[in-house]
Amino acid sequence: YKFKAGPLDLDVGFINYRYPGAASSLKYDFTEIYVGAGYGPFTAKFYNASNYQGVTSQSGTYLDLGAEFDLGAAKLTLHVGKSGGDGIVAVFGKKYTDYKISLTKEIGGFNFSLAYSDTNLKAGDTGFFQKGVGASDGMFFLTVSKSM
């Protein structure tokens, strides 16, 4: 539910994650609630899942901070996120911080975005990443999209 309170843009809600076909013993499905606020170019949103993915009794939290600036020639978007809670540690092996910086430009009805994203995780930090998932490596992304 999104609404305004004076100069603030407020947002509260819940998200339910479902993984059809996954073995129920993996306990991937979970629900989280969130609260968020925006002021001008800045946003903050806090998420909490009381039963984080793969764990039945441990919570996971995530704080998402962002900013978006119109530079004229392009739009600059900044993001930093911080995970927390025992559920995060149980699944990923440790709490982590992620960040992303992107530039977006519309040309001829297409949106072009160049972004760099990374975490403070290093290969081998967690069991999850030791299995070959390369999400611990910083990456550049080029995205081209068109809305119709």
Side-chain angles (χ1 to χ4, degrees):
Y1 178 70
K2 293 183 179 185
F3 59 101
K4 283 192 137 329
L8 295 178
D9 296 315
L10 301 175
D11 186 5
V12 296
F14 73 95
I15 303 169
N16 184 265
Y17 298 90
R18 293 285 175 211
Y19 297 85
S24 62
S25 63
L26 295 174
K27 301 176 184 161
Y28 282 158
D29 301 341
F30 69 99
T31 300
E32 64 186 4
I33 59 171
Y34 68 87
V35 295
Y39 181 78
F42 304 102
T43 59
K45 197 174 275 190
F46 181 76
Y47 300 82
N48 183 65
S50 59
N51 302 351
Y52 189 69
Q53 178 179 359
V55 182
T56 59
S57 63
Q58 295 174 316
S59 70
T61 62
Y62 187 73
L63 176 61
D64 179 347
L65 302 174
E68 188 173 282
F69 303 98
D70 186 350
L71 304 177
K75 180 173 52 174
L76 172 66
T77 304
L78 306 171
H79 156 82
V80 64
K82 178 67 178 163
S83 70
D86 291 336
I88 297 290
V89 174
V91 173
F92 293 99
K94 67 184 262 187
K95 299 171 189 174
Y96 63 90
T97 301
D98 65 274
Y99 54 91
K100 179 180 175 182
I101 182 170
S102 66
L103 286 171
T104 304
K105 171 83 175 163
E106 182 182 340
I107 302 171
F110 288 87
N111 287 316
F112 293 83
S113 177
L114 178 63
Y116 180 78
S117 183
D118 203 353
T119 72
N120 67 333
L121 293 171
K122 295 175 181 45
D125 274 350
T126 70
F128 182 76
F129 291 105
Q130 288 174 353
K131 294 179 182 173
V133 177
S136 62
D137 299 329
M139 301 177 99
F140 281 97
F141 298 88
L142 176 61
T143 307
V144 179
S145 62
K146 169 93 173 143
S147 296
M148 296 184 200

